[in-house]
Amino acid sequence: MGFLGRARGDAGTSGAGAGLTGAAADDALLTALYRQYRGPLLSFVLRLTAGDRQQAEDVVQETMVRAWREAHRLDLTEPSLMPWLATVARRIVIDEDRRKRARPPEVGGDMVDKPPVADDETESLLRKVVVVEALQDLSVAHREVLNETILRDRTVNEAAEVLGIPVGTVKSRVYYALKALKVHLAERGVTA
């Protein structure tokens, strides 16, 4: 007795495929295939996948889907469909292995979450432009004192000597110049 006889039952009138036609018969056939061959096929595929149960179950499921799609081509008079199912499952495993080897190896999730950024000096350049514009908004006296103390890296005494003003005046101008510069930068969206 072939698979069809076993799927329909001994009398041929009851069971999974009795009296059904078309899609219903294909569904009944798939149900019978799954019941009878899932266990042995899973054991076979587990050996092919080196014990990876999740992959083996996926392969068995894909094998059953292909059997359902090709139900009209299956020879149901054969004593067992296991050879056909095993061949399909083996080819699925081989195809998956080829696909994995054809693709470059996957990297960790950190690389995907944070892609590497080339050294981009755009941000630094924009910041410099904004600072220069803010400096131009300062009074001439404030700009001169910041130029001497910060940009030319002079002490308060040296800046006072170069500018020809008292040391106390240099200190107060630096204080108020920095305060004004902070306000001008904040207006342009630059903080701290």
Side-chain angles (χ1 to χ4, degrees):
M1 175 186 307
F3 175 76
L4 185 59
R6 284 191 308 278
R8 288 188 175 163
D10 291 340
T13 58
S14 63
L20 299 176
T21 58
D26 289 347
D27 290 346
L29 173 68
L30 182 63
T31 302
L33 273 174
Y34 192 80
R35 282 188 187 136
Q36 184 170 352
Y37 292 111
R38 181 196 175 276
L41 189 59
L42 183 61
S43 296
F44 173 73
V45 176
L46 275 169
R47 288 191 304 266
L48 295 177
T49 61
D52 184 346
R53 187 165 186 89
Q54 183 177 0
Q55 183 185 5
E57 288 177 357
D58 289 345
V59 170
V60 168
Q61 183 176 5
E62 179 62 26
T63 303
M64 293 298 174
V65 168
R66 290 186 187 182
W68 177 70
R69 285 185 192 148
E70 301 295 324
H72 63 280
R73 291 180 46 196
L74 294 176
D75 185 4
L76 301 177
T77 61
E78 289 291 320
S80 174
L81 293 177
M82 188 62 187
W84 185 88
L85 294 169
T87 301
V88 171
R90 186 175 56 81
R91 288 181 180 161
I92 291 170
V93 171
I94 290 169
D95 289 345
E96 285 181 3
D97 188 50
R98 285 181 183 154
R99 250 192 309 275
K100 285 178 186 174
R101 282 189 276 140
R103 286 178 46 185
E106 295 180 8
V107 295
D110 293 342
M111 292 298 289
V112 176
D113 293 341
K114 300 174 189 174
V117 178
D119 291 338
D120 188 9
E121 296 184 20
T122 307
E123 193 68 34
S124 174
L125 180 62
L126 287 173
R127 196 170 299 194
K128 288 177 184 177
V129 168
V130 170
V131 170
V132 167
E133 288 176 353
L135 281 170
Q136 290 172 349
D137 288 347
L138 297 176
S139 68
V140 175
H142 285 162
R143 209 171 30 243
E144 284 178 343
V145 77
L146 288 180
N147 187 38
E148 293 300 324
T149 56
I150 296 175
L151 298 177
R152 295 191 182 186
D153 199 26
R154 293 190 173 145
T155 64
V156 175
N157 291 337
E158 292 170 343
E161 191 177 312
V162 170
L163 294 172
I165 54 176
V167 173
T169 304
V170 171
K171 288 181 181 180
S172 66
R173 283 186 185 172
V174 166
Y175 174 79
Y176 288 109
L178 288 174
K179 197 171 182 180
L181 183 62
K182 187 175 180 180
V183 169
H184 289 296
L185 288 173
E187 289 173 353
R188 289 173 171 78
V190 178
T191 56

